[in-house]
Amino acid sequence: MKIIQLFLITFLSAQFCYAQGHFAVPDVNGIHYGPGANQYLDIHLAESNTPTPVYFDAHASGGNTNMPRSIVEALKAEGISVVAWESIQRIGLPSLTQQGWDDAELMFAWVKANAQTYNFDTTRFIIGGSSRGTVLSWKYGHRPDPNIKGLYMYNALPNRVWKDPDWWLPTEEIKVSSPRIFYVYQREPGSSEHPTDPDGHDPINGMKIMDLYTALGIGDRDTLVHSIGASGNSDRYQFLVEFTRSVLYELPTKASQALTFEALVDKDYGDSNFNLSAIGGASGNPVTFVSSNTSVATISGNTVTIVRAGTVNITASQAGNDIYNASPDIVQPLTIHKKTLVVTANDQNRAFGDSNPTFSLTYEGFVNGDNEVVLDNPPIATTNAIISSIPEAYSIIASGGQDDNYSFNYVNGTLTIVKAAQVINLNPLPMKTTIDPSFDLEAVTNANLAISYRSSNPAVGTISGNTVTIVGAGTTNITASQPGDGNYNPANEVVQTLKIIKADQVIAFEPLPAKSTEDPSFDLEAVASSNLTIIYTSSNTDVATISGNTVTLVGAGTTNITASQPGDDNYNPASNVMHILTINEVGVVKGISLRLYPNPISKILTIEGLSGVVRYVLVNIQSKELLSGQGQDTFQLDVSTLPIGVYTLRLENDGRTIVRKVFKK
């Protein structure tokens, strides 16, 4: 078990050398291994007369592989083909993860079924991926299959796959037969608990697997590298080529070689580019150079470009080959010894009350194509003027520059403040009614100065200060104005139309109970929301007449009692409300005095005045029979279970039929 912490990774270009005479084979992209939109793979074939080993890369977050092209070509140069495959976009729910595992089974089955077509060696698989891709590959990679030679994984097994141990844990797949594993992590162990910058790709997750490998006696099969930092994809995969060699081939012992790289002569900032010279060792591979600080000096090939003054280490390297190891690096310091910049603050103008503009500076004296972007601490321009400063001229002062390459001479500029414009904001006025209360106008200006108002039609609305009093129905234009002051120009007037309409009113008029011809006159009690006088009418004066709000009963029957209110200057007419008034007759049928009481009734209805057997039927207004039977002389009916409403009672006695209305309350 190896755990390695890295703070700076040097990626050896020798890993990416192409074998002499090796030519690229066209890629095959977007092949579907299943019917789903995300069930596809890309194939990067190594050229070979014999079947090639395969490295499988499961995508990190959907769409395409994170592997850089240089890594793909380096693997192809080693005779290893690459299959980059896609599945579900995200993992999380068990059902989604299971779908990803199913996709892995389907993908590997497709590769085996098409191995002859693509010249794959199915006895030598290396399985890998990043983040989500490590979870998708995990189950298949740990099956007891001698053809799986190793696993290479970046930011493996993120925190979320450990959250449901009752469902699944990655450790469940580990067996004595598990293959070699190489983990690479960006962050340090415990990064998921970082107080300000947590990362769910915690190396501790990989260490759990390493502990289990050790417990099973296979700890020599796993290696973990962490803390490689926020680096590019090349750094993530930098160990992949060497790892695939180690699991696929037996590497021969190589000879040593050395290079010569003499001390460097000091340079001055602004000097021209110059070439580095070193003598390489026996491998014949080219010598490459790296600058430890590209903000001081950059290197292209063996040409040094001076960026700024300072000290930088130049590292000379030579890669090995099949016979020779890489030469030990030689590091030589390069000292770049500073130029005066004239920095002028440019003149600016602004209006009173505005924030100061962004001040700008003009530079004279840069060399080597430099500009202010390269300065360590660029100069800034400031002024004593604040938002409330009165209109006049103020100095713009340039200062504060610091840089390892330049010193500074400053020339001040001028900020001129002028009077500001002001704008009135008066929102459209909502329509009001004649009974609405007075209300306040709420116009504002960017100057926060007092606003004056006037009404074009005082018969509709008057204004005192900012308060509008409603006078009557109609329209009036409300004008807001502000004349300005010493710091602000007058504002353009803003006009909004105020419309006043009559108010609506409604009548509250309860349904009328049934009466009998023997009942006395009674008063109607409808009210209008406006409190205006209600007018009543009777549709049938043979049944009832109305005087004011008093109803006089005239005879049996029904009449429509209508309540109305015609409105006035402040109110629209109310919608009429009509209720039916029923007057029941109390009288004699063929010399028989018949009484039904109480009526209206809530529970027990008494029928009195008939003799002998009486058959009865009670129906509702839809003529549906609800009660029927027979009684003797005076008898009672229980109507307590019937809903409130009007019913018809038909009585048959001594060869006659009598019909009466019954009101259930």
Side-chain angles (χ1 to χ4, degrees):
M1 176 173 67
K2 298 180 189 175
I3 299 178
I4 304 169
Q5 179 177 7
L6 297 185
F7 294 98
L8 176 65
I9 302 294
T10 300
F11 193 62
L12 300 180
S13 61
Q15 292 179 328
F16 302 103
C17 292
Y18 294 83
Q20 186 173 2
H22 185 86
F23 299 95
V25 176
D27 294 339
V28 185
N29 296 324
I31 302 176
H32 279 266
Y33 63 83
N38 290 331
Q39 293 176 324
Y40 67 88
L41 49 80
D42 301 329
I43 300 176
H44 309 278
L45 293 174
E47 183 175 350
S48 176
N49 293 326
T50 60
T52 63
V54 184
Y55 171 71
F56 295 86
D57 187 71
H59 299 173
S61 58
N64 51 57
T65 182
N66 289 323
M67 293 180 64
R69 189 68 193 185
S70 58
I71 298 291
V72 173
E73 295 298 333
L75 289 171
K76 290 169 61 177
E78 292 289 332
I80 302 169
S81 295
V82 177
V83 173
W85 65 284
E86 176 57 17
S87 176
I88 58 173
Q89 293 292 315
R90 293 286 186 272
I91 63 171
L93 295 175
S95 59
L96 293 178
T97 306
Q98 183 62 55
Q99 181 183 339
W101 292 337
D102 294 342
D103 284 357
E105 294 284 344
L106 187 62
M107 186 277 300
F108 281 104
W110 186 95
V111 169
K112 290 179 179 179
N114 293 273
Q116 185 174 357
T117 301
Y118 294 97
N119 200 30
F120 292 150
D121 182 355
T122 59
T123 66
R124 292 188 293 170
F125 284 176
I126 302 168
I127 297 175
S130 298
S131 186
R132 175 205 67 158
T134 67
V135 181
L136 301 184
S137 304
W138 192 254
K139 271 184 175 285
Y140 197 96
H142 284 280
R143 59 177 54 200
D145 185 351
N147 298 323
I148 299 173
K149 304 301 183 182
L151 307 179
Y152 184 95
M153 296 190 167
Y154 174 74
N155 277 351
L157 306 175
N159 286 2
R160 60 181 175 270
V161 303
W162 300 86
K163 293 185 180 301
D164 191 357
D166 293 335
W167 172 63
W168 178 76
L169 285 175
T171 50
E172 297 172 7
E173 311 301 328
I174 307 303
K175 308 171 185 66
V176 174
S177 61
S178 290
R180 289 181 57 186
I181 303 182
F182 198 108
Y183 305 95
V184 181
Y185 285 89
Q186 176 183 345
R187 294 286 296 277
E188 70 284 356
S191 58
S192 61
E193 302 297 326
H194 194 283
T196 59
D197 185 24
D199 187 349
H201 300 93
D202 196 325
I204 289 177
N205 297 329
M207 293 176 181
K208 296 175 185 176
I209 305 302
M210 298 184 77
D211 290 341
L212 187 52
Y213 263 54
T214 300
L216 293 174
I218 57 173
D220 59 337
R221 297 185 198 169
D222 55 357
T223 302
L224 186 147
V225 178
H226 65 78
S227 303
I228 71 169
S231 51
N233 287 333
S234 295
D235 288 340
R236 300 174 183 179
Y237 289 91
Q238 64 179 296
F239 309 101
L240 177 58
V241 176
E242 196 64 33
F243 176 72
T244 56
R245 288 176 181 159
S246 69
V247 299
L248 294 176
Y249 313 112
E250 181 178 353
L251 300 179
T253 303
K254 299 181 181 180
S256 299
Q257 63 172 338
L259 60 83
T260 302
F261 183 32
E262 300 293 340
L264 300 173
V265 177
D266 290 356
K267 297 289 183 177
D268 294 329
Y269 183 72
D271 285 353
S272 300
N273 297 348
F274 64 95
N275 293 329
L276 298 168
S277 177
I279 301 173
S283 69
N285 286 331
V287 177
T288 61
F289 301 94
V290 176
S291 167
S292 65
N293 189 344
T294 55
S295 68
V296 174
T298 61
I299 300 175
S300 177
N302 68 332
T303 301
V304 178
T305 299
I306 296 172
V307 179
R308 65 178 177 86
T311 300
V312 62
N313 289 327
I314 306 298
T315 301
S317 304
Q318 185 183 27
N321 55 22
D322 293 340
I323 301 174
Y324 291 95
N325 289 315
S327 298
D329 291 347
I330 297 179
V331 179
Q332 297 290 4
L334 172 62
T335 301
I336 302 171
H337 293 288
K338 236 171 182 192
K339 189 175 191 258
T340 298
L341 283 179
V342 177
V343 182
T344 301
N346 298 318
D347 294 340
Q348 298 279 3
N349 296 291
R350 73 163 174 86
F352 170 81
D354 288 348
S355 298
N356 287 332
T358 301
F359 298 131
S360 61
L361 301 171
T362 299
Y363 296 86
E364 295 180 19
F366 280 118
V367 295
N368 294 339
D370 287 349
N371 56 37
E372 62 271 22
V373 175
V374 306
L375 298 177
D376 296 337
N377 291 304
I380 60 173
T382 60
T383 182
N384 292 329
I386 60 176
I387 289 180
S388 59
S389 295
I390 64 173
E392 63 180 33
Y394 298 85
S395 293
I396 303 174
I397 302 168
S399 64
Q402 189 279 324
D403 189 73
D404 292 337
N405 299 325
Y406 297 96
S407 58
F408 302 90
N409 283 343
Y410 299 110
V411 179
N412 292 341
T414 300
L415 171 65
T416 302
I417 298 178
V418 299
K419 273 190 176 186
Q422 64 169 327
V423 177
I424 294 175
N425 181 21
L426 176 59
N427 291 328
L429 300 174
M431 187 167 59
K432 299 285 187 177
T433 70
T434 52
I435 64 170
D436 283 341
S438 299
F439 63 94
D440 291 339
L441 298 168
E442 297 179 349
V444 294
T445 78
N446 57 312
N448 289 323
L449 298 176
I451 295 176
S452 298
Y453 302 94
R454 63 180 183 272
S455 169
S456 65
N457 189 351
V460 173
T462 61
I463 300 176
S464 176
N466 70 327
T467 300
V468 177
T469 299
I470 295 172
V471 178
T475 59
T476 181
N477 290 329
I478 305 299
T479 301
S481 61
Q482 214 301 311
D485 63 4
N487 294 322
Y488 288 91
N489 292 316
N492 291 329
E493 292 186 340
V494 176
V495 179
Q496 296 289 2
T497 299
L498 174 62
K499 183 176 182 180
I500 309 298
I501 62 173
K502 288 184 179 183
D504 290 329
Q505 60 171 329
V506 295
I507 295 173
F509 184 23
E510 295 295 327
L512 300 172
K515 299 288 185 176
S516 70
T517 54
E518 294 179 352
D519 286 339
S521 299
F522 64 94
D523 291 338
L524 299 170
E525 296 180 350
V527 293
S529 59
S530 62
N531 289 322
L532 297 177
T533 301
I534 301 292
I535 299 173
Y536 302 95
T537 58
S538 171
S539 65
N540 188 347
T541 55
D542 291 336
V543 173
T545 60
I546 300 175
S547 175
N549 69 327
T550 300
V551 178
T552 299
L553 305 181
V554 178
T558 61
T559 182
N560 294 332
I561 304 300
T562 301
S564 60
Q565 213 304 308
D568 61 6
D569 291 341
N570 292 322
Y571 288 92
N572 291 313
S575 297
N576 292 343
V577 179
M578 184 271 289
H579 288 303
I580 297 173
L581 175 62
T582 299
I583 309 300
N584 295 312
E585 179 181 4
V586 177
V588 177
V589 177
K590 292 186 178 182
I592 300 301
S593 177
L594 175 64
R595 293 185 62 213
L596 276 65
Y597 62 89
N599 193 14
I601 179 67
S602 60
K603 292 182 180 180
I604 303 299
L605 177 67
T606 299
I607 297 93
E608 181 182 277
L610 300 176
S611 61
V613 176
V614 181
R615 296 183 59 83
Y616 64 86
V617 176
L618 183 72
V619 299
N620 61 14
I621 58 174
Q622 286 83 27
S623 298
K624 180 180 179 181
E625 183 178 300
L626 301 177
L627 295 174
S628 64
Q630 66 182 27
Q632 180 75 31
D633 300 331
T634 297
F635 64 94
Q636 293 179 324
L637 296 180
D638 184 355
V639 297
S640 60
T641 61
L642 299 180
I644 295 172
V646 180
Y647 299 87
T648 300
L649 179 63
R650 185 171 65 250
L651 303 171
E652 295 179 2
N653 172 253
D654 195 21
R656 60 193 168 219
T657 299
I658 305 169
V659 178
R660 290 288 185 267
K661 294 291 184 181
V662 175
F663 300 90
K664 175 66 165 53
K665 63 180 180 179

